[in-house]
Amino acid sequence: MSLISCKNLSVAYDGKTVVNNLSFSVDEGDAVCIVGENGSGKTTLMKSLLGLVKTSGGCIEFSDGLFQNEIGYLPQQTEVQKDFPASVNEIVMSGCLNKMKSPFFSKKEKAKANFNMELLGITDFKKRCYQELSGGQQQRVLLARALCATKKLLLLDEPVAGLDPIVTAELYELIKKLNRKDKITVIMVSHDIPGSMDIANKILHLNNNGSFFGTCEEYKTSDFGKNFLGGGAND
Ligand code: ADP
């Protein structure tokens, strides 16, 4: 069953089209990686799925079981966000805010945050200040926060940007586990196409002159894949 279906979707800023006539669908259990050059509209697409950016054409349909406020989002990190002065616990708890009915966190929400901190191995530093953590630890905190908002769908915008290869591999393993074992559908923006292929079952490649959407196998043999994966495309 499709969780999200985009049909002829277009998004424009001040009349300039950034996402043009894009169609693709995400099924339950999928891990879709969105790749493409800088400026090809990856973050804009993520924001339009979240309802943060207005679409200018086409439509985004959510399946009966998924609502826009039930999507867990890990935004691209900026230098300013890395210095955010809050504790790990506070940041993870803030993932519950979208669905709260009262201004106070309930026992259920606190339990959910604790569960997700345990799942991501960050319980030991829940009282520490976020800005003191390493880049990899910060991404785990943001992933735990995103999980508080969802049981179904995670949108991850460049989750491994700026991380060293060992921490990148650890984070990829975590994302793979959340997708394959915990059955959470994942849509991830990445510049790391080979790394993405290890996690994804489908690739969406955005390009200012068109796009590709299909399985990893189809991508490897496509003109897009051949260009971007080079000689190793059929390995
Ligand atoms: P990507 O994530 O692939 O790097 P973006 O979605 O961030 O691409 O940006 C796509 C294009 O839209 C770029 O040319 C960028 O400058 C432009 N853009 C992004 N956000 C805005 C905005 N808020 N207002 C105007 N233009 C924007």
Side-chain angles (χ1 to χ4, degrees), residues 9 79 92 100 111 120 126 137 162 194 208 211-212 222-223 231:
L9 181 71
E79 285 309 312
V92 175
M100 275 171 60
L120 295 197
K126 68 187 274 190
Q137 289 168 336
N208 294 330
S211 63
F212 168 92
S222 71
D223 289 343

Side-chain angles (χ1 to χ4, degrees), residues 141-200:
V141 172
L142 295 182
L143 204 45
R145 176 181 184 274
L147 282 172
C148 284
T150 194
K151 280 190 189 133
K152 292 180 185 153
L153 175 65
L154 280 175
L155 298 195
L156 312 174
D157 198 346
E158 297 198 32
V160 300
L163 302 180
D164 69 45
I166 291 174
V167 178
T168 294
E170 284 170 4
L171 207 65
Y172 277 160
E173 279 310 307
L174 254 176
I175 294 168
K176 237 158 81 172
K177 179 180 156 290
L178 291 171
N179 174 244
R180 296 188 189 169
K181 181 163 173 282
D182 302 303
K183 309 286 178 212
I184 296 176
T185 305
V186 171
I187 303 178
M188 178 174 96
V189 169
S190 178
H191 277 293
D192 171 12
I193 300 183
S196 299
M197 302 280 281
D198 187 39
I199 294 181

Side-chain angles (χ1 to χ4, degrees), residues 3 14 20 30 56 59 77 95 102 105 116 136 146 152 154 159-160 177 180 184 191 195 201 210 217 228:
L3 272 187
D14 306 319
N20 190 16
D30 271 351
S56 54
C59 64
Q77 277 242 64
S102 104
F105 291 115
N116 287 325
K152 292 180 185 153
L154 280 175
V160 300
K177 179 180 156 290
R180 296 188 189 169
I184 296 176
H191 277 293
N201 63 329
E217 289 311 309
F228 283 84

Side-chain angles (χ1 to χ4, degrees), residues 16-53:
K16 183 174 174 272
T17 300
V18 171
V19 175
N20 190 16
N21 205 25
L22 182 67
S23 297
F24 69 97
S25 61
V26 179
D27 295 335
E28 249 180 88
D30 271 351
V32 178
C33 280
I34 305 177
V35 299
E37 303 93 284
N38 284 334
S40 57
K42 302 182 296 298
T43 296
T44 300
L45 174 61
M46 291 289 235
K47 288 184 178 169
S48 61
L49 296 179
L50 290 160
L52 302 174
V53 168

